[in-house]
Amino acid sequence: MVTKQLLNGLPEDADLRRADSLAREIFSDVANKWALLIIEALGERTLRFSEVRGEVEGISHKMLTQNLRMLERNGLVDRTVHPTVPPKVEYTLTGPGRALRATVDAICDWTQHHLGHIEGARERFDA
């Protein structure tokens, strides 16, 4: 948890508690299910749009487009357009995107490890 002591000396833009901070905006951008799944799908690979869509089950064309643009805007994904007909567009994680992927991998591992506990808790809660 972020505390006031840990944030002393940091610029206001780095304070997640501030509604107007850049850190909160970035956190909000990348902490959505589609962004996390796209980051996981790209991994160490370069994929075309249709390949990313094939890896992320259930995502619509519109949501994939919006999330890839957001990830590119935040410097987490590189978009390369090859001058062919039709244009060939490829996506790959940048250095910061690969670093974020390590965190995404940890979240995936945590989910798999605790899935049984969470299912049990939900069953007890819903009963």
Side-chain angles (χ1 to χ4, degrees), residues 15 19 29 32 59 73-75 96-97 115-116 119:
D15 188 346
D29 281 351
N32 77 69
I59 193 167
R73 179 177 181 254
N74 284 313
L115 192 58
E119 285 178 327

Side-chain angles (χ1 to χ4, degrees), residues 13-124:
D13 276 354
D15 188 346
L16 284 172
R17 297 166 304 161
R18 290 179 54 95
D20 63 343
S21 76
L22 179 59
R24 185 182 279 192
E25 181 183 335
I26 294 166
F27 184 78
S28 177
D29 281 351
V30 300
N32 77 69
K33 70 178 178 182
W34 297 126
L36 295 175
L37 293 171
I38 291 166
I39 290 166
E40 183 64 22
L42 284 171
E44 298 297 323
R45 306 179 292 173
T46 297
L47 298 175
R48 296 179 70 176
F49 184 92
S50 60
E51 293 171 320
V52 177
R53 189 166 182 201
E55 292 287 323
V56 181
E57 188 174 322
I59 193 167
S60 68
H61 187 279
K62 177 182 176 181
M63 288 308 299
L64 181 55
T65 299
Q66 288 176 350
N67 277 272
L68 284 168
R69 285 181 182 162
M70 174 272 299
L71 291 167
E72 182 183 8
R73 179 177 181 254
N74 284 313
L76 303 173
V77 168
D78 275 335
R79 178 178 182 264
T80 304
V81 179
H82 299 278
T84 60
V85 178
K88 179 180 175 183
V89 181
E90 296 178 323
Y91 299 90
T92 190
L93 293 177
T94 63
R98 288 189 302 276
L100 179 58
R101 183 170 176 257
T103 301
V104 173
D105 286 345
I107 292 169
C108 292
D109 291 345
W110 175 89
T111 303
Q112 291 171 348
H113 185 263
H114 295 286
L115 192 58
H117 172 82
I118 294 167
E119 285 178 327
R122 285 181 172 192
E123 287 172 10
R124 288 188 302 277

